[in-house]
Amino acid sequence: MKKRSERIDVVVELAQREEDAAAEQFSAAKNALAQAETQLQDLQNYYQGYVSRFGAQTQNVKASDLAKSRSFLQQLAAALDAHQQQINALQQQLQLKRQFWHRLHLKTQSLMDLQQRYRREEAEELDRKDQKQLDEWVSQRRASSDEGCS
């Protein structure tokens, strides 16, 4: 029959795989958020640059061009808002993935601690058996040598 520590090896391995998969998902979510934040920053920079150019060109500009520019700025502002909402959603996803990974990490750690305890208990049991056998052997040797001396 297999020892408890050997039987739990499979459980620990599965828990580690689950934790690793969750860590990969957490990392992917972190990268997606970082990319979205970079894109938002680029979009904000573009918006600010366009606003600066638009403000500098207000003289000698046709009313239709002003209306087009204003409409474009409104579209950019809407895009900024939508992108910010996307980032908020990504932040929530990242938080959930972090919590999920953390739960799996704690589970894996607990299983590894249990595995170590099983191994320690098995080693102690083996030491006790070895000591008992040694004690019995010594007792038998003494009994043999006492019989030989009589």
Side-chain angles (χ1 to χ4, degrees):
M1 184 155 96
K2 283 188 173 184
K3 297 177 183 177
R4 288 190 305 175
S5 65
E6 292 173 348
R7 290 191 310 253
I8 202 169
D9 285 346
V10 174
V11 177
V12 170
E13 185 178 331
L14 291 174
Q16 286 176 324
R17 285 182 192 169
E18 267 188 303
E19 180 187 347
D20 291 345
E24 287 177 18
Q25 290 176 357
F26 176 57
S27 180
K30 196 187 258 188
N31 291 339
L33 177 61
Q35 183 179 5
E37 287 174 336
T38 299
Q39 289 173 346
L40 178 63
Q41 185 63 44
D42 291 344
L43 193 56
Q44 288 171 333
N45 290 340
Y46 181 76
Y47 179 84
Q48 290 302 322
Y50 195 85
V51 166
S52 296
R53 285 189 307 275
F54 177 70
Q57 297 176 356
T58 55
Q59 297 191 7
N60 299 330
V61 178
K62 296 179 189 175
S64 63
D65 289 341
L66 281 174
K68 286 178 187 177
S69 292
R70 177 173 279 154
S71 175
F72 184 66
L73 282 173
Q74 288 172 341
Q75 289 174 351
L76 281 177
L80 284 168
D81 288 341
H83 210 75
Q84 184 60 55
Q85 289 175 1
Q86 179 187 13
I87 287 175
N88 294 342
L90 287 171
Q91 287 171 335
Q92 289 176 345
Q93 286 178 352
L94 180 65
Q95 184 66 18
L96 291 173
K97 290 188 184 300
R98 187 197 67 75
Q99 290 171 351
F100 182 67
W101 167 81
H102 190 255
R103 274 196 310 272
L104 291 178
H105 177 70
L106 292 176
K107 176 184 171 184
T108 302
Q109 287 303 115
S110 295
L111 287 169
M112 290 173 80
D113 290 345
L114 181 62
Q115 181 184 42
Q116 289 299 95
R117 189 182 95 211
Y118 284 170
R119 286 188 176 142
R120 186 175 55 252
E121 288 172 357
E122 289 165 358
E124 290 169 358
E125 180 64 26
L126 185 61
D127 288 345
R128 281 191 296 272
K129 285 180 182 179
D130 288 346
Q131 185 63 46
K132 183 179 177 183
Q133 287 177 344
L134 184 60
D135 291 345
E136 288 174 1
W137 181 77
V138 168
S139 294
Q140 290 173 356
R141 289 283 289 179
R142 281 191 187 147
S144 300
S145 53
D146 286 347
E147 290 175 8
C149 290
S150 314

